[in-house]
């Protein structure tokens, strides 16, 4: 090898270490800086769109109590979009939110921050239900035969719960969830996407065998219309308006809808065609 080629090879090997040359900043790195407890003077250079309008002086991490631990997970990244899930936790609580990124000519930019809305309504409801006497529970069950006390408490806890709580519930009851899928498929309630109508959905959810299983799983209803995926079977836990949380079954990964800040804020794969999802 000539001296000239050896010189160029030497320079190429040193290139990543040359002063002022930095590797491209990836979405996961931006997420870690934006959610870290300390400030980030360069923050504005890595924001766009909705996030740029909302973040004025402080990062999101500076507004979060420093005692909370941060855990990051890159859920998706392609040439144009990326999503990072962030879990905040301490010894008594967990909370989740999701950072959506877009790639611009200048590099990756944080576009939007999303989390499940209106879950605060669940706390007073849960407090009221769990403080009922045995007589009050019996009265409640008579007044709400379609959603008794045990189901309502379990359902609210899931709806308010962290992703880790929902995933743990699913893993513990996966066979029962799969049994509902087999039952719905056997009765052909959603034979084709064209069958995903309100009438077919009502028929599936009022089927006594299906309903009994859903009650035991703390699932409000099944649908094929919540995520816009006409071939996915959605096990809806709950929510308000467009902010819902549930579990989705679709064994064909190519048919699973994409995450977007304005529709499906997160889809977490759980294995065997199952996903945790939240809408916005």
């Amino acid at each position: 090898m000539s001296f000239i080629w050896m010189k160029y090879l030497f320079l190429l090997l040193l290139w990543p270490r040359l002063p002022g040359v930095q590797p491209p900043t990836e979405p996961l790195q931006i997420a870690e800086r934006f959610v870290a407890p300390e400030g980030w003077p360069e923050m504005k250079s890595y924001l766009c769109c909705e996030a740029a309008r909302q973040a004025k002086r402080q990062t999101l991490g500076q507004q979060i109590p420093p005692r909370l631990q941060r855990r990051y997970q890159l859920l998706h990244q392609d040439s144009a979009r990326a999503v990072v899930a962030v879990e905040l936790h301490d010894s008594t609580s967990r909370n989740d939110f999701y950072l959506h990124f877009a790639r611009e000519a200048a590099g990756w930019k944080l576009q939007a921050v999303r989390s499940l809305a209106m879950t605060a309504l669940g706390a007073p409801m849960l407090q009221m239900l769990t403080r009922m006497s045995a007589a009050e529970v019996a009265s409640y069950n008579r007044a709400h035969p379609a959603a008794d006390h045990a189901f309502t408490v379990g359902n609210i806890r899931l709806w308010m719960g962290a992703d880790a709580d929902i995933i743990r519930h699913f893993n513990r009851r996966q066979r029962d969830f799969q049994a509902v899928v087999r039952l719905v498929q056997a009765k052909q309630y959603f034979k084709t996407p064209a069958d995903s109508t309100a009438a077919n959905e009502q028929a599936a959810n009022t089927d006594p065998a299906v309903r009994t299983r859903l009650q035991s799983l703390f699932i409000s209803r099944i649908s094929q219309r919540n995520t816009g995926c006409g071939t996915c079977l959605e096990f809806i836990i709950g929510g308000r308006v467009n902010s819902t949380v549930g579990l989705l079954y679709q064994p064909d990964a190519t048919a699973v809808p994409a995450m977007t800040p304005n529709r499906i804020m997160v889809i977490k794969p759980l294995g065997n065609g199952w996903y945790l999802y939240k809408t916005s």
Side-chain angles (χ1 to χ4, degrees), residues 110-188:
L110 174 59
Q111 178 184 18
V113 180
R114 290 288 181 270
S115 63
L116 196 66
M118 294 179 282
T119 55
L121 298 172
M125 294 170 61
L126 191 61
Q127 186 179 66
M128 178 192 71
L129 288 164
T130 54
R131 289 181 175 180
M132 284 182 174
S133 65
E136 289 172 325
V137 169
S139 177
Y140 182 93
N141 289 342
R142 287 192 296 270
H144 304 87
D148 66 13
H149 183 271
F151 167 80
T152 305
V153 169
N155 176 261
I156 292 175
R157 282 179 172 153
L158 272 189
W159 167 49
M160 293 173 53
D163 291 0
D165 298 327
I166 299 172
I167 293 170
R168 187 162 43 250
H169 172 72
F170 169 76
N171 289 336
R172 194 165 51 238
R173 304 290 303 276
Q174 185 170 355
R175 290 185 179 180
D176 297 312
F177 278 99
Q178 202 68 51
V180 177
V181 172
R182 290 195 298 270
L183 184 58
V184 169
Q185 290 174 339
K187 299 198 175 186
Q188 299 186 340

Side-chain angles (χ1 to χ4, degrees), residues 227-274:
T227 62
C229 172
T231 59
C232 302
L233 186 58
E234 303 147 354
F235 288 69
I236 301 171
I237 296 169
R240 296 291 183 273
V241 193
N242 291 325
S243 189
T244 59
V245 57
L247 295 158
L248 180 147
Y249 179 71
Q250 173 50 270
D252 180 4
T254 63
V256 176
M259 290 179 280
T260 66
N262 297 325
R263 184 68 188 107
I264 304 177
M265 70 175 80
V266 65
I267 293 185
K268 284 188 177 182
L270 307 180
N272 301 315
W274 289 92

Side-chain angles (χ1 to χ4, degrees), residues 39-93:
W40 188 20
E42 299 85 12
M43 172 183 71
K44 286 289 187 178
S45 300
Y46 295 92
L47 307 182
C48 78
C49 319
E50 177 184 311
R53 294 191 296 270
Q54 292 176 343
K56 301 301 182 183
R57 295 182 178 85
Q58 290 185 317
T59 64
L60 182 60
Q62 288 175 284
Q63 302 171 53
I64 294 170
R67 73 175 187 280
L68 294 177
Q69 299 294 310
R70 282 88 163 149
R71 183 177 298 163
Y72 307 88
Q73 181 184 7
L74 179 65
L75 297 178
H76 173 79
Q77 182 174 337
D78 58 29
S79 60
R81 305 287 175 187
V83 181
V84 174
V86 181
E87 179 193 77
L88 304 176
H89 63 95
D90 59 16
S91 59
T92 60
S93 66

